[in-house]
Every structure is written in C-alpha cells, then in structure tokens.
Amino acid sequence: MQIAASAYHYPLLIRHLLHTPLACRAHQEIVSGLEWRYDYLTFRERIARLAGALERLGVGPGSTVAVMDWDGHRYLECFFAVPMMGARLHTINVRLSPEQILYTVNHAADDVILVHEDFAPLLAQIAPRFERPLRTVLLSDAGAPSPSAHDGEYEALLANVPADFAFADFDENTPATTFYTTGTTGEPKGVEYTHRQLVLHTLGLLAGFAPVPGESRLHRDDVYMPITPMFHVHGWGFPYAATLLGMKQVYPGRYEPATLLRLIEREGVTFSHCVPTILHLLLNAPEARDVDLSRMKIVIGGSALPQGLAAAARERGIDVFAAYGLSETCPFLTVADVQQAAESELAARCRTGKPGPLVELRVVDENLRDVARDGHSTGEVVVRAPWLTQGYAGSAEGSEALWRGGYLHTGDVGHLDASGSLQITDRMKDVIKSGGEWISSLALESIASQCAGVGEVAAIGVPDERWGERPMLLVVRGAPSAAGAATAEDIRAAIAAHVDSGRLSRWAVPERIEFVDALDKTSVGKLDKKALRARYAGG
C-alpha cells in the first residue's frame, strides 16, 4: 500500500473526542449543580485555560495531576485537559481513609492536587507525610481567594491565562488516567488506562448501548447525569461517551437525594447510572413522591440488581437494567438484554447480560477450560477486550495473577446460556461454601429483596463447626406492606418456594435471618461483605 508522506495517522487521543460535539452540538448545555451552566464552546475554552494554568504550575507530559472534588463541571474539565496535555489524571477516591489517600498520593507520585475546599482539611492533615514536593490548587464554590497554603484558586488561575493552549499529538499508548481500587487485603491497587484504551472504551460503550432494544438505548438526545462518583472508573466511562455525542450533561455535585431529584425534574434528565444502594436511597427519599421518574433510564452496576429493587423502580416507570464490569475493565463488559426470550421481563433486566462489542468473555474451570454453556454450569468469568488494564501499577506479581493464562480474571463466578447471556452468581470471595455445596449469596439476596417490606439485604457465609459455613441473611426493613412489616418467616417462605420449585437447593435456606438498621458499605457504595462477615462471624 502506498502511504502518502503527508497522511495523518490519527492517534486515538482523548482530545479527538471533542471534534464531533464542537462541530455539531457546540451550543448544547453542560449543567453543574444548581448554579453553573455553559455550552460546549465554553467548555473547550475552559479546557484550554486549565491546561495553560497547569503548565504555569510546572505540569507537562509525564506529570500527574490529582483531583479531590465533588462531581461537577471542573471534574469534567480535568477529564479532558490533564490527559490532553500528555499528563496523567489521578482521580482520588475521597471516601478512602486518610491513610489510604496518603498511600495513593505517594504511590501515584502526584505533582499537583486540585482540592475542593471541603477536602482541604483532610489534605492538610496528611501533607507533612508526602514523599515529594507537590503543589495544590483550591476549588472553591464561592470563588474565594486562595489562602497561602495553596498555589492558587481554580477560577482565578483560569481567568489569568488565555484560551489558546496548543494541544499536540503524541503516542496513543501514553497513560491518561490512574486511580486506586481497594481489595479485601493489602494496600489499594493502582489501575492505569491509556488514551487508546479510553477512546476504544468510549466507542465500545456507545456501540454496546445504542442497540439496546426499545427506549433503553443511549442516544444523543438523552439528558445525561451520573450518580456514580467520577473518581470511580471515570464515572464508568459515560462522561466521555456523553461528551462525544454532544449530549446535554448535568453534574450534581454532592450526591444529596433532594438535589438529585430536583435536577432530574428541572433539567429533564433521562439517562443515569448508579449502584443498587444509591437507587434504593433515591426511590425512598421523601422528595421522590412528587417527582416524575418515568423518563429515566438507569443502568445498575457495581453490585447485582436485586429483582425486588428492579420491581420498585419499574413501579415508578424507571427503565432500569443491569450492566457489568470491573475497575480493571474500564469498566464495560456486558449489558442486560431486556427482551431476552424465555425469561420474564424483570428477570431479564437483572441478568448480567450479553458481552459488548469486541469483548471476548468466557466462563472457565480452574484449568481455563470452558464450562458448558447450558445456563447452569458455573466457573470463573475471564475476559479480553482492547480497553482492559494491562496490570496493576508497580505490582508485577498482582499483574501476572490478574492476567493468568492470557485472560483477565474477574474473580466472579457465573454461567453462560446458549444465547451467550451471562449471569453472575457470586464473587469468588463471597460464595458461601457449606457442606461441600456452593450457595449463591446473590440468589438469596434477590429472593429476599422481593418480599414486601424488605429494603436492603445481604447474604453472607458465617462459620459453622459442622458444615464449614452456613448462609446468614441481614435485612434492612423498607416501607411496611399492607400486611405489616417484613418478618423472617416471610423471607424463609419465599426461599422455601424456590427450593420446592427446584430453582434452589434446600441447603441454601438460612437458619439465621437478622434485621439491622444499616449494612456496611464500601467507599463506592457496594455491600462490604468482608466487614459484615467479620461483624457476624462470632454468632
């Protein structure tokens, strides 16, 4: 093939995601909280100003810029400006402990931290133990002058530089982002993504959600608002996808139910995503009674979507359905097929779903051999896709374990049916092993969630001298049904019905069902089963 010397080879860079919205949707709105709104032209101008301001602070290719902020327009500007400079964006999980945040700052070798005034005291607390000099920029909602402890205030710095920063091309395999995921043991693990991976993930996300049947699909006329923290896997990648489409975007700031519901109503939000606990919180907020949610499409990830919660959302008219992925997969892997044959509509919405474009997904035994695609045979889910992280930062051993045999190991147990639809049945670390039988905690949770008067539920394995482990259910009551509050007898009867129909082993019926005020959660809102097991292991 003859290649012209002057041909443009078009590296897959984050800055190229801006071409379409600036050309076709330049005056579409980006809304931040209850006060800020501007169009895509202003957004592009502010990106250039931010890059110029950071350059004056010494940021350049190879630098690392961290962010500690609520989910607003400034975070979205950082999603673009920092990697477009050839620097790396470190999205700090502000819900981690101070010691964990200190570890991530030092491990990522941050050069600059953009810190919201709400988190400035926390940063000041750990600053004496930073392992290298770094600069800080204050993010003030009131635009207040920066105290001497910082190197400037965000808006003031942007106002003092021109909007003419020249973003250059560079290798598409340049690292663009890093963040830290917490496991059950050890320090947080650094996960990195390149420009190429993030651009391909954006395209894969759009190609995966556009064909979803009916109105569940994502399209450019949707109004997008995340209810997943932007520090968590780039807000699941949807901010990049929404920007590429030139959608109207709404960023809520703090996740306060009243504010979320007000923005949904005022801005006409139609597409969002969150973990199950946040959806439960939103549906049960007093303000929800007066807000029309029937235009909403909500993708549930991070944890399994219980059928009881899905039913409650459908009663409000919400088009709710599950998707699946990990911090290590950028995260998109699968999305529910809401019209899957041979299943009720509700069950189909809660299934883990079918792989997205370019995702190779297998369910294997311990020797990496495929198990039968019969909808019953279980094994570990392993995957390949062009946007998966290639390893953990600074951890050769952990990286090799993650990619054992050339496939990324998810640590999830599941099964595939003949149509290629995946159902996750448990995390490998959460599956309950009792008397030689594997019991799915997710199956127990889904059954209990459908009982009237049940709000949230967690199934865990607790030690048993005879059987090794036995299942235990921890239940948070929701609104009482017409027959009264939920009882342990109601839940056991629902589980027994599944046993009688052959859908569940009799071994799965828990002896212990306890009602609690709240369930332990992780920093991203998932059930913290490690903490729950530690709390209830003693009986």
Side-chain angles (χ1 to χ4, degrees):
M1 180 176 66
Q2 182 65 44
I3 299 176
S6 57
Y8 182 57
H9 296 286
Y10 209 109
L12 299 180
L13 300 176
I14 286 173
R15 75 181 185 89
H16 290 140
L17 298 179
L18 292 171
H19 289 331
T20 299
L22 291 174
C24 305
R25 312 274 284 186
H27 297 292
Q28 181 60 274
E29 284 188 316
I30 296 174
V31 179
S32 182
L34 299 172
E35 305 298 332
W36 276 79
R37 63 178 67 233
Y38 56 61
D39 61 17
Y40 276 83
L41 287 175
T42 306
F43 175 59
R44 175 61 177 80
E45 176 185 308
R46 285 174 62 85
I47 288 172
R49 290 183 184 276
L50 175 56
L54 290 172
E55 185 178 54
R56 289 187 180 182
L57 292 175
V59 174
S63 300
T64 300
V65 178
V67 180
M68 300 176 70
D69 195 10
W70 304 107
D71 290 358
H73 62 292
R74 294 174 299 208
Y75 222 138
L76 185 65
E77 290 160 9
C78 291
F79 267 36
F80 285 85
V82 175
M84 284 166 59
M85 297 175 70
R88 187 179 323 203
L89 176 67
H90 173 200
T91 55
I92 294 179
N93 182 343
V94 294
R95 297 176 184 168
L96 296 179
S97 70
E99 290 299 315
Q100 289 175 314
I101 291 176
L102 174 66
Y103 173 84
T104 66
V105 169
N106 286 332
H107 193 271
D110 292 338
D111 296 294
V112 175
I113 300 181
L114 310 182
V115 58
H116 190 279
E117 55 197 345
D118 288 354
F119 308 118
L122 186 157
L123 197 65
Q125 173 188 339
I126 62 177
R129 291 186 285 157
F130 290 159
E131 294 176 354
R132 61 199 308 254
L134 54 80
R135 311 187 78 171
T136 60
V137 173
L138 185 70
L139 308 176
S140 172
D141 290 337
S146 174
S148 58
H150 301 282
D151 294 279
E153 191 276 326
Y154 188 92
E155 293 299 333
L157 291 176
L158 265 62
N160 288 326
V161 293
D164 59 358
F165 189 91
F167 294 104
D169 279 356
F170 43 78
D171 188 341
E172 64 184 20
N173 294 303
T174 299
T177 64
T178 187
F179 60 88
Y180 286 77
T181 179
T182 54
T184 55
T185 59
E187 299 287 3
K189 294 175 289 188
V191 180
E192 299 177 329
Y193 291 100
T194 66
H195 283 256
R196 171 184 167 82
Q197 289 170 318
L198 290 173
V199 171
L200 288 173
H201 181 267
T202 301
L203 297 175
L205 200 62
L206 293 177
F209 278 79
V212 173
E215 290 303 310
S216 300
R217 66 188 182 92
L218 175 64
H219 54 83
R220 70 179 184 180
D221 292 326
D222 274 318
V223 178
Y224 166 70
M225 183 178 79
I227 321 180
T228 300
M230 295 175 77
F231 64 68
H232 187 218
V233 207
H234 327 105
W236 296 357
F238 282 103
Y240 284 127
T243 301
L244 176 57
L245 289 183
M247 293 168 59
K248 179 178 178 179
Q249 301 185 57
V250 181
Y251 289 86
R254 298 165 182 81
Y255 285 179
E256 299 167 347
T259 300
L260 295 172
L261 290 161
R262 183 176 175 186
L263 286 169
I264 288 170
E265 185 174 45
R266 190 182 78 175
E267 305 297 337
V269 175
T270 63
F271 191 93
S272 190
H273 49 84
C274 61
V275 297
T277 52
I278 297 298
L279 177 58
H280 178 266
L281 184 70
L282 202 63
L283 290 174
N284 287 278
E287 298 83 359
R289 292 192 296 266
D290 302 317
V291 177
D292 180 9
L293 299 175
S294 63
R295 296 171 298 179
M296 289 287 292
K297 295 172 277 191
I298 299 183
V299 182
I300 298 298
S303 300
L305 172 59
Q307 287 197 30
L309 181 61
R314 295 295 290 147
E315 286 176 6
R316 295 299 309 273
I318 298 173
D319 189 354
V320 65
F321 54 99
Y324 168 64
L326 315 173
S327 294
E328 292 84 350
T329 64
C330 202
F332 176 52
L333 292 176
T334 75
V335 61
D337 181 355
V338 297
Q339 294 183 350
Q340 184 166 2
E343 277 194 305
S344 72
E345 185 228 16
L346 201 62
R349 289 176 178 275
C350 296
R351 283 182 68 84
T352 314
K354 294 185 177 179
L358 302 180
V359 175
E360 179 190 355
L361 187 147
R362 301 168 59 203
V363 176
V364 300
D365 62 19
E366 61 274 12
N367 296 311
L368 279 182
R369 295 176 301 206
D370 291 295
V371 303
R373 292 165 56 113
D374 55 10
H376 302 288
S377 301
T378 59
E380 185 185 9
V381 179
V382 298
V383 291
R384 287 174 174 169
W387 49 76
L388 310 187
T389 191
Q390 298 296 288
Y392 295 119
S395 175
E397 183 179 349
S399 299
E400 289 303 321
L402 180 68
W403 277 96
R404 179 174 61 87
Y407 283 84
L408 188 144
H409 289 251
T410 67
D412 288 321
V413 177
H415 54 70
L416 285 166
D417 65 18
S419 75
S421 186
L422 174 70
Q423 179 61 56
I424 297 296
T425 57
D426 230 325
R427 291 287 292 166
M428 292 182 72
K429 64 188 179 187
D430 291 336
V431 67
I432 301 166
K433 305 176 185 69
S434 184
E437 297 282 342
W438 280 22
I439 299 170
S440 169
S441 67
L442 301 184
L444 290 176
E445 289 164 5
S446 186
I447 295 167
S449 75
Q450 298 176 69
C451 295
V454 170
E456 294 183 283
V457 61
I460 60 173
V462 293
D464 183 272
E465 288 186 5
R466 184 177 183 184
W467 305 115
E469 278 188 328
R470 288 296 295 143
M472 175 183 182
L473 283 182
L474 301 165
V475 181
V476 178
R477 284 192 172 98
S481 67
T487 66
E489 289 71 24
D490 296 333
I491 296 170
R492 283 200 184 90
I495 295 172
H498 280 69
V499 173
D500 293 343
S501 66
R503 288 172 288 174
L504 196 67
S505 164
R506 63 180 179 81
W507 204 242
V509 180
E511 288 87 5
R512 294 175 62 188
I513 298 176
E514 292 196 16
F515 291 89
V516 297
D517 294 330
L519 298 171
D520 293 279
K521 306 284 174 41
T522 69
S523 63
V524 293
K526 301 179 186 179
L527 291 173
D528 190 342
K529 293 193 176 179
K530 177 188 175 185
L532 292 171
R533 285 191 292 266
R535 184 189 302 272
Y536 293 96

